[in-house]
Amino acid sequence: NAGVMQNPRHLVRRRGQEARLRCSPMKGHSHVYWYRQLPEEGLKFMVYLQKENIIDESGMPKERFSAEFPKEGPSILRIQQVVRGDSAAYFCASSPAGTANEKLFFGSGTQLSVL
Amino acid sequence: GNSVTQMEGPVTLSEEAFLTINCTYTATGYPSLFWYVQYPGEGLQLLLKATKADDKGSNKGFEATYRKETTSFHLEKGSVQVSDSAVYFCALIEDYKLSFGAGTTVTVRA
């Protein structure tokens, strides 16, 4: 049973380009969460999704950021027109239900660097 | 809002040394508290948790006690090994949202 898979592990973009980060949850998990870790800070909640639904996006910037979790395929975190301040580690987690407990698992993260 | 403050690193220890990582929190109510660990190249893993005051979470020789009076959840291990080298995160939960500390990098030397 593979864990939460995130790709790519490292992503380099120039200012103004688009970044797409992918997250495949664990088998049987229908809840996905995205967190962002800025340098020298803890992980911050961004968005919580179930299949085809955004449940809570209160932690996501209002502009340039979007997330989806389609019926088929991975969850995608999309950042348009990236700026240097978007450089961070982005972590995805999944669970079979909407709670954080022993059944919440994290991926290894995507390190986004904006030049 | 809720927040977590943990001891800054990095921390470097010799094998068999005693490890303490301090963690304090600010929260409305009494949230569940967690310690996560991230080994090199891997995702965060739940190390231990406590759900109410005076609960002690323990796993792999690590312990932490939920102290309501001092709003703390310090992580301790009596004798560390090289394999304990990792980044440790203290966290609390509100509904499904985790609030994390900045992480403490621990390096254990043989």
Side-chain angles (χ1 to χ4, degrees):
Chain A
N1 188 9
V4 179
M5 304 300 292
Q6 289 189 247
N7 67 83
R9 290 294 300 272
H10 301 276
L11 181 61
V12 180
R13 285 288 177 266
R14 296 189 181 280
R15 281 178 295 169
Q17 292 184 319
E18 178 180 284
R20 279 180 173 249
L21 288 63
R22 295 175 185 77
C23 169
S24 296
M26 284 187 71
K27 186 176 181 180
H29 287 192
S30 58
H31 297 249
V32 166
Y33 316 78
W34 286 93
Y35 286 80
R36 176 168 67 172
Q37 185 180 26
L38 294 169
E40 309 300 323
E41 296 185 17
L43 284 76
K44 297 285 195 300
F45 170 81
M46 297 182 75
V47 61
Y48 164 32
L49 309 105
Q50 293 180 32
K51 284 282 187 181
E52 299 184 277
N53 286 307
I54 297 174
I55 306 302
D56 182 351
E57 55 182 350
S58 60
M60 203 150 68
K62 294 290 185 286
E63 297 180 354
R64 301 188 298 108
F65 284 72
S66 61
E68 62 177 12
F69 188 17
K71 186 176 180 181
E72 302 292 336
S75 175
I76 305 288
L77 179 66
R78 182 182 178 203
I79 311 172
Q80 295 178 290
Q81 299 174 325
V82 295
V83 300
R84 289 218 173 111
D86 297 332
S87 295
Y90 292 82
F91 290 92
C92 167
S94 73
S95 70
T99 187
N101 54 24
E102 294 84 358
K103 294 187 174 67
L104 178 75
F105 294 91
F106 280 84
S108 300
T110 293
Q111 181 66 50
L112 172 64
S113 298
V114 180
L115 304 179
Chain B
N2 297 340
S3 66
V4 175
T5 302
Q6 66 180 95
M7 187 174 95
E8 291 186 17
V11 174
T12 302
L13 301 164
S14 297
E15 250 185 335
E16 300 183 4
F18 183 86
L19 170 68
T20 298
I21 303 176
N22 289 342
C23 171
T24 57
Y25 66 90
T26 302
T28 52
Y30 304 105
S32 293
L33 302 175
F34 304 83
W35 276 99
Y36 279 85
V37 59
Q38 184 179 26
Y39 299 106
E42 299 182 15
L44 279 75
Q45 303 173 27
L46 179 62
L47 180 60
L48 53 84
K49 73 171 193 177
T51 57
K52 61 183 187 299
D54 299 326
D55 261 5
K56 177 187 282 188
S58 60
N59 185 26
K60 299 183 180 181
F62 289 89
E63 292 184 340
T65 301
Y66 191 141
R67 301 284 188 203
K68 185 177 68 174
E69 61 278 9
T70 55
T71 62
S72 64
F73 192 53
H74 304 322
L75 182 69
E76 296 181 338
K77 186 172 184 179
S79 177
V80 294
Q81 304 300 315
V82 172
S83 57
D84 293 324
S85 298
V87 183
Y88 293 82
F89 295 90
C90 185
L92 61 80
I93 189 169
E94 178 183 13
D95 295 327
Y96 43 78
K97 296 179 196 175
L98 287 161
S99 296
F100 288 88
T104 302
T105 300
V106 174
T107 302
V108 181
R109 297 182 298 194

